[in-house]
Amino acid sequence: LWSQGFEHRLVIPYVGHEHAGVYCIAAANSLGQAECHCVISVIDEPADSGVEMLAASAASLDTPAARGCCTADCLVPPELLSLFRDRYCRSGEPVTLECEVAASPAPKVTWSFNGQPIDSSDRRFSVSSRGRLHRLRLARATPAESGRICLAAENDAGLATCGALLIVEDPDSGRVCSQKVIRASTKLFNRRAEKPSRDWQTTPGYSLVT
């Protein structure tokens, strides 16, 4: 095992059949946990050519663990492939937030504003999804929409969330919304992000990204 700064390595000097399997690295702090998985398959003898080596590698990786999301019986926790960030805009401007989520089985994805779920009855927001991509859109943002917007993706294997602040400038005062409102929404999000019924250290795939 080797670590330097942000880089972490696991080195196997001489690979044998006993090293074949699924490897996982997990990084955790007080806010949550993130994981990365890979499969190592060991063949008996080196292939005679590069083409044969590629064919052998492809065949050895045709396993449930290697296929991950492609198998119906393999649980893979939600992973956020792309995130949305804090946004600042002027009143009346359109705002679009997007997040790409991968998981197996397909996760249940929900959006919330200042800790309150966003549903179809809330005409301020338009929520849509296409494959892995999930999108929230405001046609015309107003200072009333200043606050914290959060996406949560959950399946039987775990939970992943992404949250960001939306700050809309008040056209009358020429200033952004009150910092008091932002602090209140942040505290509300932090309280709702805590799930007493879950142990973040033992629940696979539980991660928090802000």
Side-chain angles (χ1 to χ4, degrees):
L1 298 177
W2 178 91
S3 296
Q4 182 175 351
F6 295 114
E7 187 175 356
H8 305 275
R9 295 181 184 176
L10 183 149
V11 180
I12 305 175
Y14 303 99
V15 177
H17 285 282
E18 67 273 15
H19 297 113
V22 180
Y23 287 77
C24 172
I25 179 172
N29 62 14
S30 59
L31 294 179
Q33 177 174 305
E35 297 180 352
C36 180
H37 304 260
C38 75
V39 177
I40 291 184
S41 297
V42 182
I43 57 177
D44 292 330
E45 297 179 0
D48 295 334
S49 67
V51 174
E52 292 178 0
M53 179 66 78
L54 290 174
S57 298
S60 64
L61 290 175
D62 188 22
T63 64
R67 289 193 297 268
C69 294
C70 297
T71 59
D73 58 346
C74 181
L75 291 177
V76 179
E79 179 182 359
L80 306 182
L81 304 181
S82 64
L83 308 173
F84 52 88
R85 304 294 183 182
D86 292 350
R87 291 285 301 274
Y88 169 84
C89 69
R90 298 180 183 275
S91 181
E93 292 181 348
V95 175
T96 300
L97 302 178
E98 294 181 340
C99 187
E100 188 175 1
V101 184
S104 178
K108 177 184 178 182
V109 176
T110 56
W111 293 84
S112 63
F113 175 67
N114 286 341
Q116 299 299 319
I118 297 174
D119 54 36
S120 57
S121 63
D122 193 336
R123 297 184 178 275
R124 297 175 300 172
F125 304 98
S126 174
V127 175
S128 62
S129 61
R130 183 176 182 182
R132 294 179 174 180
L133 186 64
H134 301 269
R135 179 184 292 115
L136 181 142
R137 178 176 171 79
L138 287 83
R140 294 174 58 87
T142 68
E145 277 81 67
S146 293
R148 178 168 287 277
I149 296 176
C150 179
L151 173 144
E154 184 173 16
N155 64 8
D156 291 339
L159 169 70
T161 66
C162 179
L165 281 177
L166 173 63
I167 304 174
V168 185
E169 180 181 296
D170 187 340
D172 296 329
S173 63
R175 297 175 297 179
V176 298
C177 67
S178 168
Q179 292 297 317
K180 182 178 180 181
V181 173
I182 296 177
R183 288 195 297 268
S185 65
T186 302
K187 291 180 180 179
L188 177 61
F189 168 79
N190 290 335
R191 289 200 302 269
R192 290 181 177 272
E194 299 174 359
K195 287 184 174 289
S197 61
R198 288 183 178 271
D199 183 347
W200 286 14
Q201 301 300 320
T202 60
T203 303
Y206 194 98
S207 61
L208 175 67
V209 181
T210 60

